[in-house]
Amino acid sequence: MIGAAQVNDPGWLGLVAAGALMLVVLGVALALGINMIKEGAIATARATVQLLVVGLILGWIFAREHWWAICLILTVMTGIAGFTAGRKVNKVLKRMGPMFTLVLAAVTALTLIYVTQLAVGEHRFTAQYFIPLGGIILGNAMTAAVLATTRYAEDLVEQREKVEAALALGASPAQATRAMERKAFTAAVTPVINAMLIVGIVKLPGVMVGTLLGGVEPLVAAKYQLVVMFMLVFGDGMTALAVLNIVRRRAFTSAWQPRL
Amino acid sequence: MGDEAAIRISNLRVTAQGLRSRLLEPPEGEDQVVLDDVSLEAAKGSVLAILGESGGGKSTLLRCVNRMVEAEQGSVEVLGRDVKQWEVRELRHTAIYVPQRSFLFGGSVREELIHPLRWNGRGPIKMPFGEVLQAVGLEVDQKQPASELSEGQRHRLCIARALLLFPKILLLDEPTGSLDVRTAREMLAALLAWAKEREVTLVCVTHRPEDLDALGGDALMLLEGKVAGRYPARDVLSGKVDADTSAFLGSPSGSKP
């Protein structure tokens, strides 16, 4: 554990009290003629169920520290992230889910091993480190995969004629779309780079809030946040690079004809 | 001309489905035929003009030769070898397609000419930049930004860019579309001289009778995706053609893209 755990349990009553905040805003909105009760109810129900279930599962895993249970949950998380990303790019490229999952698995594994061994000095395979860190990497890398793919595919459709003009002069697909790949990569890593610019000034990120609430010394919490940000740049960047290579291969035939 | 053919196309068939994105839309409804049973031959060093209405498959025909479009049926041979057996890059150096719209990749006139050399791992050293510009009748400062050129000049720059790769076959899609009659005639004359000297085969989509006059050679009539006839260019100009072809040449709708 990072320092001593001295967190207050909100308790069920505490949850009800927090939920009342939701009711307040829904009530005020209704008074103003904005009926969001249905959306609010669905969001509340889903969040409650999802989080409590995750809490229970993680609680079980944290208590036992079975290596296979940690692997299993990381695998499930990776699959969900991969297929969610695949569904999000369905409009531009079909059936990317399996590929995304493979890329996310490789990138997450690599990042996790590096960070736990060299940055945070956790040499055992513990749920406490691997699951939360894995979750952050996956969530961000998933977005990076979607951004890179969408940007590249949309640009290719839009500039197909120009790409063909380059291909007609003997350019390979990689050469003909180099500028697009650059843009797509930038689009994928820009969110985390921008977050680094304002972190701590405009908002405290989730990891820092979490560790602070967990009773960790603020300077340690800040160091953790830094580790996380560098880790995310790496994860997003590697994901974007790998994904762009796969997308390019999918977007052209072996005879260097654009398919999009 | 008992020579080996530069291009031999046999019973070529291409449908709209084959042209469209192969990953996105599923086939819907009746598939439209773009090219139907097209056969033609062009001897090495010859000149062939392709005439026909817009949307009649002229560009698609050229794009089959450099394998940008895959034939559904039939075969395309370049220098006696099926395009599917060529290494793609080698094929696209041998038979270069210059699209109707001019696309610039950035930089000065000189840099514009260099881009394809870079893609192909060739150095820009000792390249005849002046010569290729001359071959398209373009007299500009090579240090000038290419984006400052007029549309007509840009198009000629695109042709010059292709020439620098020394193709054996040049596939030109409406090369004179953005030029006035006199400039077009000058450019075609310069281009023909270049081609003749190097035994380059010229295939040229056009809809201007003046171009036929400048090009000479044969003219192939493509109507609704089918070959409607092939005549020596001077016969087309003097009207010694069949009814369909003369109707097309006489109709004003056929002369605009």
Side-chain angles (χ1 to χ4, degrees):
Chain A
M1 286 278 157
I2 312 162
Q6 347 156 289
V7 203
N8 293 341
D9 182 349
W12 300 110
L13 272 177
L15 274 189
V16 172
L21 292 171
M22 182 99 187
L23 282 180
V24 170
V25 81
L26 289 179
V28 173
L30 190 63
L32 293 171
I34 312 162
N35 186 350
M36 293 231 358
I37 291 176
K38 196 177 150 207
E39 291 88 338
I42 293 172
T44 306
R46 281 198 58 163
T48 309
V49 172
Q50 285 162 207
L51 286 172
L52 291 181
V53 167
V54 168
L56 285 172
I57 294 175
L58 290 183
W60 187 87
I61 293 171
F62 273 55
R64 284 164 190 79
E65 291 284 355
H66 291 314
W67 65 268
W68 56 266
I70 303 172
C71 279
L72 182 70
I73 195 150
L74 282 173
T75 307
V76 171
M77 284 159 70
T78 309
I80 293 174
F83 280 87
T84 306
R87 212 171 47 239
K88 285 190 182 174
V89 302
N90 225 353
K91 272 190 199 141
V92 288
L93 270 179
K94 287 200 189 310
R95 293 181 295 278
M96 290 301 289
M99 270 304 174
F100 281 164
T101 305
L102 283 180
V103 170
L104 291 179
V107 170
T108 308
L110 187 68
T111 317
L112 273 179
I113 291 168
Y114 184 92
V115 168
T116 51
Q117 301 311 302
L118 294 170
V120 298
E122 175 68 21
H123 302 303
R124 291 162 306 145
F125 187 45
T126 52
Q128 188 201 340
Y129 286 89
F130 280 81
I131 293 174
L133 290 177
I136 307 172
I137 298 167
L138 282 171
N140 279 267
M142 176 182 92
T143 313
V146 172
L147 286 173
T149 306
T150 314
R151 187 56 183 270
Y152 183 84
E154 282 177 357
D155 275 5
L156 181 54
V157 170
E158 200 184 295
Q159 298 181 46
R160 184 187 165 133
E161 280 184 85
K162 186 172 182 176
V163 170
E164 280 193 10
L167 293 171
L169 291 164
S172 66
Q175 289 168 330
T177 60
R178 188 140 293 159
M180 292 175 199
E181 275 186 46
R182 225 172 268 149
K183 271 205 229 157
F185 178 80
T186 311
V189 295
T190 299
V192 60
I193 298 277
N194 283 344
M196 287 178 82
L197 298 178
I198 57 159
V199 70
I201 302 173
V202 182
K203 66 174 221 172
L204 287 181
V207 171
M208 197 154 171
V209 172
T211 37
L212 282 173
L213 281 176
V216 171
E217 202 189 309
L219 192 59
V220 176
K223 286 184 198 159
Y224 258 93
Q225 186 59 49
L226 263 178
V227 167
V228 165
M229 305 236 80
F230 294 138
M231 175 182 91
L232 293 183
V233 174
F234 178 80
D236 289 7
M238 294 308 276
T239 303
L241 288 179
V243 159
L244 282 172
N245 261 288
I246 292 163
V247 168
R248 193 207 315 126
R249 256 152 232 182
R250 284 265 180 111
F252 290 88
T253 66
S254 59
W256 294 1
Q257 301 148 333
R259 291 167 117 146
L260 285 177
Chain B
M1 296 214 199
D3 258 316
E4 194 188 345
I7 304 171
R8 182 180 291 120
I9 295 176
S10 329
N11 311 102
L12 182 69
R13 179 187 160 93
V14 175
T15 58
Q17 193 53 48
L19 287 179
R20 220 182 290 138
S21 149
R22 274 145 283 195
L23 285 182
L24 286 178
E25 303 118 89
E28 44 182 74
E30 194 89 330
D31 205 359
Q32 208 191 329
V33 178
V34 182
L35 291 174
D36 190 11
D37 199 24
V38 171
S39 298
L40 70 87
E41 229 180 89
K44 276 183 187 167
S46 67
V47 177
L48 179 65
I50 296 179
L51 305 171
E53 76 255 281
S54 12
K58 304 190 298 290
S59 304
T60 306
L61 181 60
L62 295 193
R63 280 149 42 94
C64 284
V65 179
N66 78 340
R67 213 184 164 196
M68 197 63 78
V69 172
E70 203 76 57
E72 193 170 299
Q73 278 170 31
S75 69
V76 180
E77 280 176 27
V78 167
L79 302 179
R81 190 146 49 112
D82 194 293
V83 289
K84 287 176 187 168
Q85 282 159 13
W86 281 80
E87 200 255 317
V88 182
R89 177 168 274 159
E90 207 188 326
L91 173 68
R92 290 185 185 158
H93 282 172
T94 309
I96 300 189
Y97 170 71
V98 183
Q100 186 179 359
R101 277 181 67 193
S102 33
F103 292 98
L104 299 180
F105 300 105
S108 65
V109 168
R110 169 74 70 99
E111 283 165 325
E112 200 58 64
L113 292 169
I114 291 173
H115 284 297
L117 300 174
R118 290 237 174 80
W119 293 330
N120 296 291
R122 297 187 198 170
I125 315 146
K126 282 205 231 158
M127 278 295 179
F129 298 108
E131 232 178 287
V132 294
L133 291 175
Q134 205 183 2
V136 293
L138 196 56
E139 280 165 36
V140 290
D141 178 5
Q142 290 183 30
K143 290 191 205 79
Q144 189 185 349
S147 53
E148 285 176 4
L149 302 180
S150 72
E151 182 48 37
Q153 288 175 318
R154 281 184 201 191
H155 198 94
R156 281 180 284 164
L157 179 58
C158 289
I159 298 173
R161 194 169 62 185
L163 292 181
L164 208 53
L165 293 169
F166 295 98
K168 297 308 287 175
I169 298 168
L170 203 50
L171 310 157
L172 304 175
D173 205 342
E174 308 227 359
T176 59
S178 51
L179 303 177
D180 60 75
V181 176
R182 199 175 59 92
T183 318
R185 181 169 280 276
E186 279 169 14
M187 181 194 75
L188 291 177
L191 207 52
L192 276 171
W194 166 285
K196 196 158 216 167
E197 201 177 306
R198 293 166 181 80
E199 222 193 8
V200 173
T201 309
L202 273 183
V203 183
C204 191
V205 165
T206 183
H207 52 250
R208 291 179 18 172
E210 298 91 339
D211 289 354
L212 289 184
D213 191 28
L215 284 167
D218 278 2
L220 185 94
M221 197 61 209
L222 204 61
L223 287 178
E224 284 163 13
K226 290 189 174 127
V227 177
R230 179 170 176 159
Y231 312 92
R234 59 181 181 295
D235 285 3
V236 176
L237 291 166
S238 57
K240 284 188 226 150
V241 290
D242 68 274
D244 273 356
T245 307
S246 62
F248 167 77
L249 291 168
S251 77
S253 65
S255 62
K256 283 273 178 281

